[in-house]
């Protein structure tokens, strides 16, 4: 009968423990022998287990006889002692319709003698798990829908489903075989292109049996230097080479030579290196208007500076607020080093969309994304993709209001942003003068023109910086302390950084700012004069990013420019081309505008002349549903870098 009732009510039945059910006795009732039935109930059914049917508690016998229960303060799994049984008669409680059969039903008065503890605890555990799952789903839904917007949430969900489907499809041998074939072909083409630039190189896979002479080593080095490469000296390569001039290059080389064996891990052996590092940090702090408490460290580059900032806030707010599930809120356009930090340090990454017109991070959505687990928010001045500075003032207000860290990524803006105002260009507040800014990263090896491998991470005060340090006093090798990720570090790079700062000086950086931003403005004006193109946002630093108006494909424009020797960076989501203007571009800006106009005209006159490699690569990448395939290609490319 119970199974029939379950179908009728459409609900599951949770029974009491099996041990309780074994104590129940089968009861036979009949309308002709009501007194005997009641007597049997009193004698044989002294204890009952409570089950739930259709949201109501019912008493259940071993043979699944269901007896209506009107008791209060009873829960599923409770054990009841019978006090009184009274027959009500089937006419009062009749289940209508087939396959139900009228039964004599009893009104039971009973006393709860034991609440089943296991069932109660189990129910509480279920409730806790249910609430946790509900909150987790709400958190994800909130971040996706409220912060990212419904369109983005739908696209992300669709991409997630497609990813799952294709992950399963890749398990099929035939599918995986086709993917491997296509992947192998792509990587083979990459290897051919890469190795073609190294033709004529002697292959060295083992140590030479006898060491080479100095002359032989120098000859080999010059051969490597002369390998076919992009022409950066003439100002046709975006970013990459932040060249401060031949004289500075000679100074850097000499500095490296003098301190080639220096290691700042041992300040007692290399006190000069310690001094140069401290002075380099102090000079950059001054440039960014740090308060008297301002401090920092030198790192190996912008990525390490950003990693250190994220690690610092994670550890600081775990200590100060007890946050064990840290989150950071960053713009979509933030540098990928933040994604790397989130991955390395187990910090939940919450990305916030940018305004479609200004391309600055949406402040309202940043506010919505901040939770009790947020340890930091971040903005760029300027970002890599479009050269746009986020609204640091408004981000600072949020950081103050919610007591979280605010990191400003000035790795690319470095020695340009601090000089914009004095150079007569538009600027925006971005440094320590903005209330709420607690850390800033600045690459000295970009527009500071130091040798590659140096950056400065700055903090508002030493209390914050302490959380960056790694300290271990129990090591058998002695007390160990290091300021950043590396233990031993090249003192030669510190010497080179100090040398660049001292040689360039304030006046030198002001002048290079004028030249570099001036060149960017020339190219920006050229792009704006071409009706088929548009500039992304309102750049204020050294970066220019531009896209194409349909039906023109911007990647085709890039391929046309590549054929003329220009080496620009391709962007995606949305498609665009990027130029990080450097000093060599100062003399090539006008030529670039001229070539750009000619390339666009060629494509307008003959659209079929496009469809180059960049358009193919990014077009394919956009059309591939399973993005892990793109990851496989990228991993294969990295593998090729280590193929001798």
């Amino acid at each position: 009968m119970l199974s029939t009732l379950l179908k009728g009510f459409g609900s599951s039945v949770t029974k009491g423990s099996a041990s309780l059910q074994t104590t129940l006795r089968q009861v036979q009732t009949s309308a002709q022998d009501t007194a005997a039935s009641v007597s049997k109930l009193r004698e044989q059914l002294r204890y009952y287990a409570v089950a739930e049917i259709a949201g109501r508690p019912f008493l259940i016998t071993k043979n699944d006889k269901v007896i209506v229960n009107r008791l209060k303060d009873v829960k599923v799994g409770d054990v009841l002692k019978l006090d009184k049984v009274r027959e009500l008669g089937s006419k009062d409680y009749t289940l209508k319709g087939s396959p139900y059969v009228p039964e004599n039903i009893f009104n039971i008065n009973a006393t709860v003698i034991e609440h089943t503890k296991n069932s109660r605890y189990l129910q509480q555990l279920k409730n806790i798990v249910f609430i946790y799952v509900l909150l987790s789903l709400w958190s994800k839904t909130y971040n996706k829908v409220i912060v990212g917007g419904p369109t983005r949430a739908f696209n992300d969900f669709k991409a997630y489903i497609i990813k799952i489907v294709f992950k399963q499809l890749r398990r099929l041998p035939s599918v995986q075989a086709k993917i491997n074939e296509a992947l192998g072909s792509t990587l083979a083409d990459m290897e051919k292109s890469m190795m073609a630039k190294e033709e004529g190189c002697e292959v060295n896979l083992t140590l030479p049996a006898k060491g080479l002479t100095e002359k032989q080593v120098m000859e080999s080095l010059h051969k490597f230097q002369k390998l076919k490469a992009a022409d950066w000296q003439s100002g046709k390569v975006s970013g990459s080479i932040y060249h401060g001039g031949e004289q500075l290059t000679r100074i850097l080389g000499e500095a490296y030579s003098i301190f080639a064996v220096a290691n700042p891990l041992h300040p007692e052996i290399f006190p000069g290196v310690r001094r140069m590092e401290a002075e380099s940090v102090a000079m950059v702090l001054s440039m960014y208007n740090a308060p008297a408490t301002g401090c920092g460290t030198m790192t190996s580059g912008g990525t390490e500076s950003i990693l250190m900032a994220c690690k610092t806030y994670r550890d600081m707010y775990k200590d100060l607020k007890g946050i064990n599930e840290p989150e950071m809120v960053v713009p979509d356009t933030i540098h990928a080093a933040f994604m790397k930090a989130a991955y390395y340090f187990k910090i939940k990454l919450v990305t916030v969309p940018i305004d479609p017109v200004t391309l600055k991070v949406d402040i309202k959505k940043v506010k919505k994304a901040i939770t009790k687990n947020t340890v930091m928010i971040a903005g760029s001045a300027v970002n890599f993709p479009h050269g746009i500075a986020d609204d640091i003032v408004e981000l600072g207000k949020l950081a103050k209001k919610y007591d979280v860290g605010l990191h400003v990524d000035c790795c690319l803006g470095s020695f340009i942003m601090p000089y914009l105002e004095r150079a007569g260009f538009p600027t925006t507040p971005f440094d320590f003068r903005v209330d709420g800014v607690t850390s800033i990263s600045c690459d000295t090896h970009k527009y500071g023109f130091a040798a590659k491998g140096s950056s400065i991470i700055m903090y508002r005060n030493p209390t914050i910086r302490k959380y960056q340090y790694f300290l271990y006093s129990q090591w058998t090798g002695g007390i160990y302390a290091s300021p950043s990720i590396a233990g031993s570090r090249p003192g030669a790079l510190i010497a080179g950084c100090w040398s660049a700062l001292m040689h360039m000086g304030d006046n030198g950086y002001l002048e290079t700012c004028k030249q570099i931003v001036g060149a960017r403005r020339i190219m920006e004006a050229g792009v704006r004069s071409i009706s088929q193109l548009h500039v992304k946002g309102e750049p204020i630093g050294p970066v220019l990013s531009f896209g194409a108006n349909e039906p023109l494909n911007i990647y085709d424009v890039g391929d046309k420019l590549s054929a003329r020797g220009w080496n620009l960076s391709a962007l995606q989501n949305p498609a665009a081309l990027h130029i990080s203007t450097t000093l060599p571009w100062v003399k090539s800006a006008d030529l670039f505008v001229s070539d750009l106009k000619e390339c666009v005209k060629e494509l307008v006159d003959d659209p079929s002349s496009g469809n180059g490699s960049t358009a193919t690569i990014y077009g394919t990448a956009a059309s591939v549903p399973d993005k892990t395939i793109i990851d496989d290609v990228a991993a294969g490319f990295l593998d090729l870098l280590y193929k001798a």
Side-chain angles (χ1 to χ4, degrees), residues 295-315:
C295 57
T297 68
M298 187 176 286
T299 68
S300 62
T303 293
E304 187 183 359
S305 289
I306 291 168
L307 289 175
M308 289 292 88
C310 295
K311 181 262 184 194
T312 296
Y313 292 121
R314 183 200 67 173
D315 292 354

Side-chain angles (χ1 to χ4, degrees), residues 152-169:
R152 179 179 175 183
F154 174 77
N155 291 334
D156 288 347
F157 179 73
K158 183 172 69 173
Y160 175 74
I161 296 300
I162 292 175
K163 180 180 179 181
I164 292 177
V165 172
F166 274 83
K167 184 177 181 180
Q168 298 306 316
L169 287 176

Side-chain angles (χ1 to χ4, degrees), residues 9-311:
F9 284 107
S11 179
S12 62
V13 176
T14 306
K15 293 186 176 182
S17 64
S19 61
L20 290 173
Q21 290 185 15
T22 58
T23 66
L24 302 176
R25 299 290 184 269
Q26 182 173 351
V27 179
Q28 301 294 332
T29 62
S30 66
Q32 292 77 17
D33 195 5
T34 301
S37 299
V38 172
S39 178
K40 270 192 173 183
L41 283 171
R42 288 197 180 100
E43 295 297 326
Q44 299 178 9
L45 299 180
R46 296 184 58 79
Y47 299 97
Y48 296 82
V50 182
E52 182 181 344
I53 303 177
R56 295 178 55 194
F58 281 73
L59 297 178
I60 301 183
T61 63
K62 185 177 181 181
N63 69 336
D64 287 345
K65 172 72 72 175
V66 178
I67 303 174
V68 174
N69 145 42
R70 290 182 172 182
L71 301 175
K72 297 179 180 180
D73 192 33
V74 293
K75 297 179 177 62
V76 175
D78 288 350
V79 179
L80 306 180
K81 180 179 180 181
L82 185 67
D83 290 335
K84 182 180 179 181
V85 177
R86 182 172 65 85
E87 184 183 16
L88 298 177
S90 60
K91 65 180 180 179
D92 295 320
Y93 294 88
T94 302
L95 299 174
K96 303 290 185 181
S98 177
Y100 301 120
V101 179
E103 297 281 353
N104 285 352
I105 302 178
F106 299 87
N107 181 30
I108 308 298
N109 292 334
T111 302
V112 180
I113 62 171
E114 178 184 351
H115 285 299
T116 305
K117 295 180 180 179
N118 289 342
S119 297
R120 173 179 291 180
Y121 292 153
L122 181 61
Q123 189 63 34
Q124 290 176 346
L125 180 60
K126 289 179 179 178
N127 291 339
I128 292 172
V129 172
F130 175 74
I131 293 173
Y132 176 78
V133 171
L134 196 63
L135 289 175
S136 297
L137 290 174
W138 166 247
S139 176
K140 292 179 180 178
T141 303
Y142 183 87
N143 286 334
K144 290 291 185 182
V145 179
I146 306 300
V147 178
T151 302
R152 179 179 175 183
F154 174 77
N155 291 334
D156 288 347
F157 179 73
K158 183 172 69 173
Y160 175 74
I161 296 300
I162 292 175
K163 180 180 179 181
I164 292 177
V165 172
F166 274 83
K167 184 177 181 180
Q168 298 306 316
L169 287 176
R170 289 189 69 171
R171 297 179 185 273
L172 299 175
S174 58
V175 175
Q176 187 60 49
K178 289 184 178 180
I179 292 175
N180 290 340
E181 181 181 357
L183 183 62
S185 175
T186 300
L187 294 178
D189 291 341
M190 284 185 177
E191 182 177 357
K192 182 179 179 180
S193 175
M194 186 177 294
M195 296 304 175
K197 296 181 176 66
E198 301 174 10
E199 290 181 355
C201 285
E202 182 180 349
V203 179
N204 302 288
L205 301 181
T206 61
L207 288 171
K210 182 180 180 181
L212 303 182
T213 64
E214 179 181 352
K215 181 180 178 181
Q216 290 173 319
V217 171
M218 291 299 109
E219 288 176 350
S220 295
L221 289 177
H222 286 302
K223 287 181 181 179
F224 287 135
Q225 184 187 31
K226 293 177 181 178
L227 290 178
K228 184 180 180 181
D231 181 15
W232 63 266
Q233 290 96 333
S234 61
K236 289 191 171 184
V237 176
S238 171
S240 305
I241 310 298
Y242 296 86
H243 193 248
E246 293 298 331
Q247 184 180 29
L248 179 57
T249 300
R250 288 195 298 271
I251 293 173
L252 297 180
E254 186 64 22
Y256 198 102
S257 175
I258 295 172
F259 289 93
V261 300
N263 184 355
L265 185 65
H266 306 289
E268 73 283 2
I269 303 176
F270 305 104
V273 171
R274 187 216 68 80
R275 185 70 196 179
M276 286 187 288
E277 181 172 24
E279 289 186 356
S280 297
V281 172
M283 284 186 270
V284 177
L285 282 165
S286 174
M287 190 171 66
Y288 276 82
N289 294 291
T293 56
C295 57
T297 68
M298 187 176 286
T299 68
S300 62
T303 293
E304 187 183 359
S305 289
I306 291 168
L307 289 175
M308 289 292 88
C310 295
K311 181 262 184 194

Side-chain angles (χ1 to χ4, degrees), residues 132 211 385 417 535 575 614:
Y132 176 78
M417 291 299 293
V535 174
T614 305

Side-chain angles (χ1 to χ4, degrees), residues 363-393:
I363 298 298
K364 291 182 179 179
K365 291 186 177 181
V366 172
K367 181 179 180 180
K368 290 179 180 179
I370 296 174
T371 71
K372 62 181 180 62
N373 286 325
T374 302
V375 297
M376 67 176 292
I377 60 178
S380 304
V382 294
N383 62 44
F384 173 84
H386 312 123
I388 304 298
D390 291 311
D391 192 339
I392 305 303
V393 172

